[in-house]
Amino acid sequence: MAAANLNIFLTAYDPSDLPGGSIDPMGFESGYLFLADQLLPDLTNVASRPRYFGVLCASICITPVDSGDSPRVQYAKRLECALRLERFWALANVLATRGNSNGELPANSIRGITYAEAKASNVLEKNHQFVGADFPFLASQVRYGMVGIYGAVADRLRIIDRKTMALTPDLGERLGSAFIKETQMPSEVKSAVRDSGKVAAKALESWGRRSHIAGKTGRDESQCILEAFHYNGLRSRMGELLLRFPYKDVHETELSRLARIFRAVKSDAAYKDLCQAMVVILNYERCYAQVLLAFERVLWLCRSLVSVGLSSTDISTDGVLKGVCQTLPKDLAQFHASLGEVSAPMFKEGLSRLESVRAFLERLSRVCSSPSDLVAALLTQHTEVQSGKFDNGRRKSPWIETRDGKLSLAYTQVGGRTRELKDANEIVPHYYRTQAADEMLAVGASK
Amino acid sequence: MKKQDEQLNLRRLTNRLAYDPNYGELTHILATTFDFNSDFFELDFLPSVLGLRTWDDRSWAGRVALEKKLAHLDAATVFMESSRYTGRPRSLRLELLPVTKSVGGVLHAKTVVLVREKCLQLMVSSANLTEFGYRKNREAAAVFTISEKDYAAVPLVSTALEGMRNALKASWSPSAELAYRAAKHRLSQFPSEIEENNTWFFWGGNEQPLWQYFLDRWPADDSVERISVVSPFWSEQPDHGFIDSFLGHLTSVGQLTSVANLRLYTEAKAVSDTEYQPVLPPAYAAYNFSELGVAAFACMVDPGVLSAEVDGYSGFSGTRPLHAKVLVLEGRNTTLLYMGSANFTRHGWGFGVEPARANIEAGVIALLTGKNRQIAASLLPNCIGAPLPLGSGTATKTSPPEEDTFHQAWPAFIRDARLRESEKDASTLELTFTIAPELCQGTWSAAVPRGDGSNVVLLDADECVTQYRISLSSEILNILMRQQEVIIRWWAYEAGVRIPINVDIAARDTLPIVTGASRPKEGELIAYYQGRIAWEDLFPDPNSTSSENGKGPTDQSDSSVDTSNIQSYRIREFVEAIPGIVSDIKMASGTGRTARFALFGPVSPISIAHEIVTAATNGSRTPTAAGFQLVELIACLRVARAHTVPDDVRKDWETALDEAVSKIEAMLAALRTKYPDLVDGRGAFARYEEAVRRGVLA
């Protein structure tokens, strides 16, 4: 062969051990998810744009399924159409955004926006009249796109049956039909979704304006989304509180808002269970912030003393770690006290899901007289947490290891902040899904 | 995706070989490696090439998913150096063959051949089949993808395949041959005209040493001005072969300019936070290169990782060991390049050793001119600081390479340990040892570890015959399936070593989907064919206590009435499953193994047929109902003959269908013998059967 065709190269580093979600180095995730369920069950932070539910249902509505098809075949057909409509809709959104010069239609929360933008640029630059859905999109579209992210929530909201991807007759079918009708989905989009065909770019842009992620939802679509939200009683009551107590200003944090809501309704028996959940959450997050601060501090010190390693003297004399030693026992006591107040049956039954974190915090609290012992207990927990995670089939390694009696960053350490943290307020807390709830409730307000 | 990210991804080996739906399903794997890590291979490499891209754990469900994919492969064989054996993959569908080179040297070649439905990929590289090889080390690789889009490399890949078979002929297996033939067949589907040939594939360890073959490619009308060698390992003494053979040859034919520049790209060893030394045997620092008219330098390859390589993370503290092997000769108009598995050592390049005693190495040699010379430049890694002068009179200090002392004793007289179908009864397996009598010089024994610290002795041999066949009780077979290795003790090594056992191709259909998994029952199979449960749900984790992981499908419907023993419900469920059975058979009409798996595997018409016969035998099914089900299954298989199937697999497809039909016909015949009412030509069953068979024929 000709050497010109040689495909020869030096390999690049392939960081399989970079934790994709290098989150939760101390094992607080499971407890957090349990607590989030006590306020807004079945929602997720990431599925925060309710318009996706309409797109998903519409794709299923227009899937040509024969009654003789086996459930597996039906599922495959629905999935194929959902993936195709998601692509068309993403592209339609971007085209509509480009065509709207006043910035009223931001498309930035579209999943796979970069791919859709690239395709839109290509369509506009080359003046393509017709476009198909076969452009490069999310590499794992099923997992990270509409089906994976919104399908799971839609299943829990009783909009679809995720296993078969069939619409629920009362809510899913209505929502799908409403989206198609109210956004006036062009028949050529429907055909292109069914038959893997093409759509006129102009028609797509026009539909993108009517169905835009940031656009106004139709009456029936809004009604369905609200019904889905209020289907769960706990979620519905929390929704009432969120509507009554919106964010004060752009500076207010989610936890501050929850604290404000708690203070305002703590004596109202109708919200007793929610108040118990909010106070546990606030205390849980305080403990979490202290533990993360200590851990980030150790990472930072290891990074600063990379050549010599972190000695027990360095740890004992560090002001931030000393501060954690003083504060953590108090925060833990408050956390314990709030757990003791829990009486709502469902909440109380599930408290065992906080047990591992609670036990860990107890262990930490017992050694808070010595920053060195605190750090040793932190690292024991971190190592256990990491060994319980898998990445490409391998157990993850801890980020810090001991060499010659000193602490150093592990060979493949990649987590943690790159700036110095000194205060627990600098630790980013968990998010408790209120943004997703606010978005769904806002759809109702636009009805 | 940014262009830079795309290029980085293309330089990642797992990405380069990853599943691409445009190329179709993987059908055969053939690979060679020095080191082999079974965890990496099964949990990282295979999921990538098979398209299990969301792989993230060792769960039972993950294992079932992998085994299902592997069951569709026609053949998968990996050759590795026997002295580096540390364990075989858990799947018995993968053949691992440790190779002992009989006259010296080791198997050191690193090649991967992937035969897909619409393409063939060959990768030759310096990377072992380990996580470090594919993800961490700094390696060099060449990937040739033969498809409709690009088939320029057909002759080169063909040579590479032939060279592989020749180099490994002593260990070549039927599975390897199957993969080889499939690869050659795939190549034959593309034109192989050679417009211009200045690239060659070379396998070391044969008649000609690599260094000589390489230098023979240098054009007579040019002189070498610069030599660059990238290697993590080096001959202890520069003058043992390297100088005599390599530089000596160039000097003797007048092809080395008097001011030639020699650059040795080495690993950089940190001796303090700021200071590094080249990893080279000390003799290189003291050798008098100037006598040859050569100015020699050590270039320490930067062990750092680029921020872009770790997703822009700036605090990454990991480093990359150098493992690439590249040699570049540059003249006024020409560049000659080698890239492959051969370290710059005596056995790697065959310096000063008999050619046959050199390692089995694999690499690509290319003669580059014009702007193509940049290809060679791109294979020379970045270095720390300026090149350090080497040779007597210089102040350069080197760090000696760390010796790799891992060397597993190996019973080279055992060519193969394999489970095969018994000669007496094809439904049972026996263990066979194939021996090389010329290497067998004393007594030896084979045992299998029970897993509790004790062993079961399988064989005590005090003579050497070509083959031993050992019948196995079901208990011993179960232990072997679980352990997948046997312990061999022999006259020279009483402590004994574990060697892998493989499974003969013909016996692979009989393997359970995962060792320890039970075969699905009729109700579960029907639930699957109805589309009510996923394939993976048919094989729940036997050790799981979770109710979610219990037997996936139940025999009860959503109502509270247990209908599992009511025959009419059973038959109705079966009828509702028929479209799923037909659909599954249709989807399987691709490669031979896929078809066989769908027709004869644990989830197949044959599997249901066995369940039906069992139900009839134990009285839980009437003969008429069982007969009805078997006739319907035969009809499904007959109908499948009409499916559109690619020409090259049609014959295998029809043979497999016929075999499946004849198996079920035999079951039906046995049923008739036992229940003569079914034979009554005037009865309702006979009329039904005739109508169905006539309908199918029509």
Side-chain angles (χ1 to χ4, degrees), chain A residues 1-8, chain B residues 143-144 150 152-153 195 199 372 375:
Chain A
M1 67 177 283
N5 297 325
L6 259 185
N7 199 338
I8 195 165
Chain B
V143 178
F144 303 94
D150 184 2
E195 290 172 4
T199 309
N372 288 336
I375 295 172

Side-chain angles (χ1 to χ4, degrees), chain B residues 49-222:
Chain B
V49 301
L50 289 166
L52 291 163
R53 300 195 73 171
T54 55
W55 191 264
D56 61 359
D57 63 14
R58 295 164 192 262
S59 68
W60 178 266
R63 162 70 34 194
V64 170
L66 175 63
E67 290 287 354
K68 184 187 177 192
K69 282 277 189 184
L70 290 176
H72 289 183
L73 287 188
D74 284 355
T77 298
V78 178
F79 295 91
M80 69 167 295
E81 164 57 27
S82 60
S83 63
R84 308 292 290 189
Y85 177 77
T86 55
R88 66 153 291 137
R90 283 171 62 198
S91 173
L92 287 167
R93 292 178 173 84
L94 300 167
E95 183 177 69
L96 180 68
L97 295 172
V99 172
T100 305
K101 201 160 174 282
S102 56
V103 291
V106 295
L107 168 59
H108 198 250
K110 298 106 169 46
T111 58
V112 174
V113 179
L114 302 178
V115 186
R116 300 187 187 274
E117 286 171 332
K118 295 176 192 166
C119 89
L120 183 142
Q121 288 174 301
L122 163 70
M123 183 173 85
V124 56
S125 71
S126 57
N128 287 305
L129 277 167
T130 63
E131 185 194 354
F132 262 78
Y134 273 62
R135 292 192 179 274
K136 304 277 171 67
N137 292 342
R138 196 176 304 279
E139 308 273 5
V143 178
F144 303 94
T145 301
I146 309 292
S147 71
E148 273 187 347
K149 281 186 192 166
D150 184 2
Y151 39 80
V154 166
L156 182 133
V157 174
S158 190
T159 309
L161 287 168
E162 287 157 17
M164 178 192 279
R165 185 162 71 157
N166 186 42
L168 298 167
K169 57 180 177 260
S171 306
W172 205 244
S173 69
S175 173
E177 181 66 13
L178 195 65
Y180 170 82
R181 285 175 187 272
K184 291 289 271 184
H185 175 69
R186 188 66 72 247
L187 290 179
S188 72
Q189 294 172 325
F190 304 100
S192 61
E193 295 129 20
I194 305 175
E195 290 172 4
E196 182 187 7
N197 185 24
N198 44 25
T199 309
W200 303 268
F201 199 101
F202 185 80
W203 284 89
N206 286 311
E207 297 82 18
Q208 193 177 17
L210 171 56
W211 70 265
Q212 204 168 59
Y213 185 88
F214 178 74
L215 289 182
D216 285 351
R217 315 269 85 68
W218 182 257
D221 58 354
D222 203 351

Side-chain angles (χ1 to χ4, degrees), chain A residues 3 7 11 13 71 307 411, chain B residues 11-12 16 139 198 273 319 530:
Chain A
N7 199 338
T11 61
Y13 192 81
S307 59
Y411 189 67
Chain B
R11 292 198 290 117
R12 289 176 169 143
R16 283 309 281 262
E139 308 273 5
N198 44 25
D273 274 359
T319 55
Q530 285 180 343

Side-chain angles (χ1 to χ4, degrees), chain A residues 1-18 68 70-73 114-115 140 143 163 303 306-308 390-395 409-418, chain B residues 8 11-14 16 43-44 54 56 58 131 135-137 139-144 152-153 196-199 273 309-310 313 316-320 339 366-368 372 375 378-379 528 530-531 584:
Chain A
M1 67 177 283
N5 297 325
L6 259 185
N7 199 338
I8 195 165
F9 53 94
L10 280 177
T11 61
Y13 192 81
D14 197 350
S16 67
D17 46 6
L18 288 183
S70 72
R72 203 149 20 112
V73 172
T114 320
Y115 297 92
S140 300
R143 195 178 185 195
K163 225 171 175 182
R303 222 171 261 136
V306 68
S307 59
V308 290
F390 288 95
D391 185 41
N392 279 320
R394 288 172 296 284
R395 286 182 188 280
L409 294 181
Y411 189 67
T412 53
Q413 189 273 320
V414 291
R417 308 286 184 279
T418 51
Chain B
L8 266 181
R11 292 198 290 117
R12 289 176 169 143
L13 295 183
T14 42
R16 283 309 281 262
L43 300 179
D44 195 343
T54 55
D56 61 359
R58 295 164 192 262
E131 185 194 354
R135 292 192 179 274
K136 304 277 171 67
N137 292 342
E139 308 273 5
V143 178
F144 303 94
E196 182 187 7
N197 185 24
N198 44 25
T199 309
D273 274 359
E309 290 177 312
V310 285
Y313 182 79
F316 189 76
S317 60
T319 55
R320 303 185 66 190
M339 188 290 308
L367 191 65
L368 309 166
N372 288 336
I375 295 172
S378 73
L379 292 181
Y528 162 74
Q530 285 180 343
D584 245 46

Side-chain angles (χ1 to χ4, degrees), chain A residues 122-143:
Chain A
N122 179 264
V123 169
L124 296 173
E125 278 165 23
K126 300 198 171 160
N127 197 23
H128 288 310
Q129 300 299 306
F130 291 90
V131 289
D134 55 347
F135 55 91
F137 202 61
L138 293 165
S140 300
Q141 192 188 347
V142 174
R143 195 178 185 195

